[in-house]
Amino acid sequence: MNTLEIISQPPIPEHLIGEVQSKLAYVDEVICKAQISKDGQKIILEVNRPVDELLRQRVEEKIQRVVTTMTQGSFRPKVQVLEDNMSAPTLNTNDPMPELMQRGELHCEADGIFTLGPLVTRLVEFFEDNFIALAATFDAQPYRFPVLIPARYLERVNYFKAFPHSLTFATHLREDLDAIDHFAQSACCDEHGDLNQLPESFAKIQALLSPAVCYHLYFALADKPLPGGKMIATAVGPCFRYESINLTSLERLWNFTMWELIFVGEKDFVLENREASRKYMAKAFEDIGLAYRVETANDPFFVGEFRKQAAFQSAFQLKYEIRANLPFKNSTLAVGSYNYHQDFFGRHLNITLPDGSPVHTGCTAFGLERMAYAFLSQYGLDIQKWPQTVKDYFGE
Ligand code: ATP
Ligand code: ZN
């Protein structure tokens, strides 16, 4: 591996190191690993070919652009902690990944793509049961959504501008006998698992793999008045976010499962229900023995959109993240979020209240694989050592 060190001018402020580091993955295809020093001064890159002056200049220029755009004029957001249960007495201090892999409880098909075995699957089902109970207290209407999402839908809600880096596109072969014949005869994967086919074989892109669950509900409600002026729905489904070299273990997947409780209606209706769902889950997490805190946060907007949007979300408390403790690395992982989108979807999709104004929306969302991973990080794989509520579910 070849190393490239870049001095950041000015240094990256501490509160932005994580955000900038996650974007370095998308700077240049030669980058295999990116690390920012604790003081924010040095960016250390591992690259997949020898570094010459031309490469250094190219990468340095792009990195500088990322750093400047994301940090110039930014200020440290005031993080508000709404719940703090970090001191819950957990038992495990090892990363559960090696043992899970070794036991066949996880099988890695490719970066960010994992098969879950029986223990992890049942743990996911346990969390899902808790969320289903949450939805029942809201009398939420059940929905099932497709895995694909039309490009024109995402365009309508500015997704391409906000999160272009994590999109996953779906395509198919062109309806052309020669193209299909050629594919059938010559398609094969190289040693990296890359298909050897040229872009000309594929049709234009009309659909993507869905990056979130609640969007599908908003699209189903688009361009009409919302019957009754309010609704609460629930759905679970696969979501796709391409996170490049940041894809690691069960923490950051390309293909993960999100469970959501979705609120649509007037501002107060959405905010009150978001709050009620948080209170309900605080009790549930206490029963489960999860060490976590809930704090204000922002979405991982792309470089150009980041500063303004992230500051806006923090300032108006649009996103609260549930961050579970990962004792083995002395850090936390977002396992879920309580979101308020204001009237963003109402305006962009023309969903109206009885008085003609746009609806407000919000969602309570949990990543199921991350829930299981955080729990196993805190309690290990031995069911006997798990909190009683979870043991009961497993019949222990
Ligand atoms: P909004 O609707 O406001 O865009 P959302 O419903 O998309 O928000 P997020 O907060 O973006 O919700 O994601 C919800 C949860 O999904 C996260 O807290 C996390 O648990 C899980 N999640 C997100 N990205 C990944 C990933 N790459 N791998 C595994 N889990 C993820
Ligand atoms: Zn959502």
Side-chain angles (χ1 to χ4, degrees):
M1 226 6 105
N2 307 281
T3 309
L4 178 55
E5 255 189 48
I6 292 170
I7 303 296
S8 173
Q9 272 308 339
I12 301 157
E14 191 200 341
H15 70 278
L16 285 176
I17 287 181
E19 298 276 8
V20 173
Q21 184 160 312
S22 70
K23 297 303 180 307
L24 296 179
Y26 307 96
V27 164
D28 198 289
E29 284 178 327
V30 297
I31 298 174
C32 310
K33 206 170 158 193
Q35 189 74 44
I36 300 175
S37 62
K38 277 207 176 80
D39 57 9
Q41 301 216 7
K42 238 192 277 171
I43 298 171
I44 305 131
L45 305 172
E46 276 183 20
V47 294
N48 64 9
R49 65 175 162 93
V51 180
D52 56 26
E53 201 38 41
L54 218 59
L55 180 71
R56 167 182 282 282
Q57 278 178 13
R58 181 179 90 198
V59 175
E60 198 162 354
E61 184 275 319
K62 286 198 269 186
I63 296 242
Q64 214 49 65
R65 214 177 333 140
V66 169
V67 172
T68 309
T69 314
M70 289 182 74
T71 60
Q72 210 168 47
S74 82
F75 53 90
R76 175 187 282 275
K78 215 170 143 252
V79 176
Q80 197 189 325
V81 177
L82 288 91
E83 291 168 44
D84 192 344
N85 197 30
M86 285 293 272
S87 56
T90 56
L91 294 173
N92 183 57
T93 50
N94 299 326
D95 180 0
M97 266 324 262
E99 197 179 344
L100 287 167
M101 297 288 287
Q102 191 250 328
R103 281 207 207 174
E105 274 296 336
L106 291 177
H107 170 69
C108 181
E109 297 191 352
D111 287 349
I113 309 176
F114 279 88
T115 299
L116 310 185
L119 182 85
V120 185
T121 299
R122 286 182 73 199
L123 204 48
V124 161
E125 285 170 355
F126 165 75
F127 284 111
E128 216 176 339
D129 267 21
N130 273 271
F131 303 141
I132 290 167
L134 162 74
T137 67
F138 288 84
D139 208 9
Q141 297 302 303
Y143 277 78
R144 293 186 76 84
F145 298 129
V147 170
L148 293 175
I149 194 155
R152 68 188 147 80
Y153 278 16
L154 291 180
E155 182 201 13
R156 253 186 107 175
V157 294
N158 283 351
Y159 204 91
F160 297 155
K161 281 202 176 62
F163 307 105
H165 54 301
S166 57
L167 294 168
T168 309
F169 303 90
T171 182
H172 52 84
L173 292 175
R174 287 191 296 114
E175 292 92 334
D176 178 286
L177 186 63
D178 295 333
I180 298 171
D181 252 349
H182 174 75
F183 181 90
Q185 298 308 324
S186 61
C188 66
C189 293
D190 65 16
E191 73 272 24
H192 308 294
D194 298 337
L195 206 50
N196 65 343
Q197 297 299 294
L198 298 171
E200 297 86 76
S201 315
F202 300 105
K204 286 187 180 162
I205 290 160
Q206 294 186 313
L208 292 90
L209 299 184
S210 199
V213 170
C214 60
Y215 285 40
H216 289 280
L217 180 72
Y218 311 142
F219 292 122
L221 302 175
D223 299 315
K224 44 186 183 275
L226 177 70
K230 59 181 175 184
M231 84 177 293
I232 301 182
T234 182
V236 60
C239 291
F240 301 82
R241 294 183 189 172
Y242 181 69
E243 308 224 16
S244 178
I245 55 171
N246 302 321
L247 295 166
T248 43
S249 74
L250 277 203
E251 271 186 60
R252 206 163 283 286
L253 299 167
W254 187 0
N255 176 172
F256 61 98
T257 318
M258 209 189 303
W259 186 95
E260 288 206 40
L261 180 62
I262 310 158
F263 314 110
V264 189
E266 288 183 356
K267 176 181 178 179
D268 288 349
F269 174 80
V270 173
L271 284 175
E272 281 162 19
N273 281 297
R274 176 176 78 154
E275 194 59 6
S277 71
R278 184 174 72 76
K279 296 254 164 70
Y280 179 101
M281 286 313 299
K283 172 85 184 57
F285 286 140
E286 198 186 320
D287 284 349
I288 295 164
L290 194 75
Y292 75 100
R293 63 171 183 262
V294 174
E295 62 186 29
T296 48
N298 57 262
D299 279 316
F301 296 104
F302 194 56
V303 178
E305 296 281 294
F306 177 79
R307 202 166 13 121
K308 199 177 71 212
Q309 302 263 40
F312 182 79
Q313 279 193 324
S314 300
F316 291 94
Q317 306 212 345
L318 302 187
K319 189 176 196 78
Y320 300 140
E321 250 170 15
I322 305 146
R323 303 200 65 91
N325 191 19
L326 296 186
F328 74 91
K329 59 190 318 198
N330 202 15
S331 76
T332 60
L333 176 67
V335 293
S337 60
Y338 304 108
N339 304 289
Y340 171 45
H341 314 116
Q342 298 175 303
D343 62 356
F344 178 85
F345 291 103
R347 270 188 293 115
H348 283 261
L349 299 175
N350 188 27
I351 316 168
T352 49
L353 290 165
D355 69 1
S357 64
V359 295
H360 289 236
T361 62
C363 66
T364 291
F366 299 99
L368 295 181
E369 295 83 358
R370 280 196 186 177
M371 283 292 339
Y373 182 65
F375 179 85
L376 291 168
S377 298
Q378 295 184 7
Y379 286 98
L381 273 63
D382 180 357
I383 300 181
Q384 293 314 320
K385 296 187 175 152
W386 289 1
Q388 196 55 46
T389 320
V390 197
K391 268 163 82 173
D392 288 348
Y393 184 86
F394 278 72
E396 295 285 335

